[in-house]
Amino acid sequence: MRFGVFLTPDAGAVEHVLTVATTADRHGLDLIGIQDHPYQPGFLDAFALMATVLARTERVHVFPDVANLPLRPPAVLAKTVAGLDLLSGGRAELGLGAGAFTKPIRAMGGPVRSPAEAADALIEAVAVIRALWSDVPSVRIDGTYYPVDGVRPGPVPAHRIGLWLGVSGPRLLAEVGRSACGWVPTSSYVPPHDLPAKHARIDATAQRSGRDPAEIARVYNVFGTVTDGPSRGFLRGPTDQWIDQITELVLEYGMDSFVLGTEGDDLAQIRLFAEEIAPAVRAAVADERG
């Protein structure tokens, strides 16, 4: 299991953003996920922020949560992430999405695609990125959206970068099972009761592709508030409720990693998540599994 924080790339609060990152690192969290919405005028560029966070931390892994594919050509994206991985000693991962917000993507000069076209493009992008992280002499992919013709791959990343897809439709869930290292849903779009059917789609395709479904990470972006009072719903209540609900998400709903988003990137909430909730969930799961 891994635990992390969903970092808001707020250009108006740079010192707070970096304090959140170093707090996550010092307090033993495993992951920092950074939103990638280049068209948001108040946001820092996700990859510039990733580089800065990796330079200021020592052990936490950092990933775009998730990279906006229509505005990030995959061949260049592969090079960028491989470089970040080498510079950080193997602490960069890649979350990748098809790009859901078509109007601002078009406003920024990106392509506008139908859902089917966006799925096709994402599948092509995965193949391109994987090839450019390999050590083959050259890569040729006759793609509709991202053709490459004789490009020399490299550099090879420092570790096997996790390529996690932030998707929810059946076709792209199948692609997770076929080719990705993990799945990155968000609780506000994919609530817990929707998880089992989506896991089943991933797992069935993985098995048909000769893969072990257990090797595919399940990284859940969750949002909530730890309170002193009674429960006000999913992940909105006291610490004991959080421990019980996240433990249930592991044991009953198949998730293994949790990236926490809080109102205003609250440092007290993040410390509580790292120091009390995460260790208690680990212990509860270990006890249940013997």
Side-chain angles (χ1 to χ4, degrees):
M1 284 180 293
R2 288 169 293 193
F3 295 85
V5 62
F6 188 75
L7 182 62
T8 305
D10 186 351
V14 170
E15 287 306 315
H16 180 69
V17 169
L18 296 176
T19 298
V20 170
T22 55
T23 298
D25 191 53
R26 286 198 308 268
H27 288 265
L29 289 176
D30 307 290
L31 296 169
I32 295 174
I34 298 174
Q35 302 177 53
D36 183 29
H37 297 289
Y39 37 75
Q40 290 284 9
F43 278 7
L44 299 161
D45 176 76
F47 287 86
L49 181 55
M50 278 184 66
T52 304
V53 167
L54 286 166
R56 295 198 181 199
T57 55
E58 296 180 354
R59 59 174 301 278
V60 70
H61 287 231
V62 184
F63 70 104
D65 194 0
V66 288
N68 190 303
L69 177 61
L71 295 173
R72 307 279 186 186
V76 177
L77 185 59
K79 179 89 171 184
T80 300
V81 179
L84 291 173
D85 198 52
L86 288 164
L87 290 165
S88 65
R91 293 189 292 119
E93 315 292 352
L94 176 57
L96 186 61
F101 302 105
T102 56
K103 186 175 180 180
I105 288 170
R106 176 170 51 194
M108 205 170 191
V112 175
R113 295 168 177 152
S114 70
E117 290 169 340
D120 288 339
L122 184 62
I123 292 167
E124 279 189 20
V126 170
V128 170
I129 291 166
R130 285 247 185 259
L132 291 180
W133 286 342
S134 74
D135 58 0
V136 300
S138 66
V139 176
R140 285 180 171 81
I141 296 176
D142 186 21
T144 301
Y145 302 95
Y146 300 115
V148 290
D149 185 11
V151 64
R152 296 177 63 187
V156 175
H159 85 300
R160 184 174 183 266
I161 293 173
L163 179 49
W164 306 332
L165 301 187
V167 298
S168 60
R171 185 173 173 215
L172 289 178
L173 288 169
E175 186 61 25
V176 174
R178 185 164 32 251
S179 69
C181 299
W183 178 42
V184 194
T186 296
S187 61
S188 50
Y189 295 101
V190 184
H193 61 79
D194 286 345
L195 292 171
K198 296 185 185 300
H199 284 310
R201 182 81 174 186
I202 293 169
D203 294 351
T205 309
Q207 290 168 340
R208 287 195 298 270
S209 303
R211 304 182 69 200
D212 181 357
E215 295 178 354
I216 299 171
R218 320 293 167 124
V219 184
Y220 207 17
N221 295 320
V222 295
F223 299 88
T225 305
V226 182
T227 67
D228 293 327
S231 172
R232 294 187 286 115
F234 177 65
L235 296 183
R236 296 188 180 276
T239 301
D240 287 348
Q241 175 190 328
W242 276 70
I243 294 167
D244 290 344
Q245 289 184 332
I246 295 179
T247 300
E248 183 180 26
L249 286 169
V250 177
L251 297 173
E252 303 297 330
Y253 290 93
M255 305 309 293
D256 58 48
S257 302
F258 302 91
V259 178
L260 171 67
T262 66
E263 184 69 32
D265 289 9
D266 188 291
L267 288 171
Q269 295 272 315
I270 292 165
R271 284 192 289 264
L272 188 61
F273 186 65
E275 295 174 356
E276 297 188 26
I277 295 169
V281 172
R282 292 185 197 276
V285 170
D287 183 64
E288 182 67 25
R289 290 177 172 170

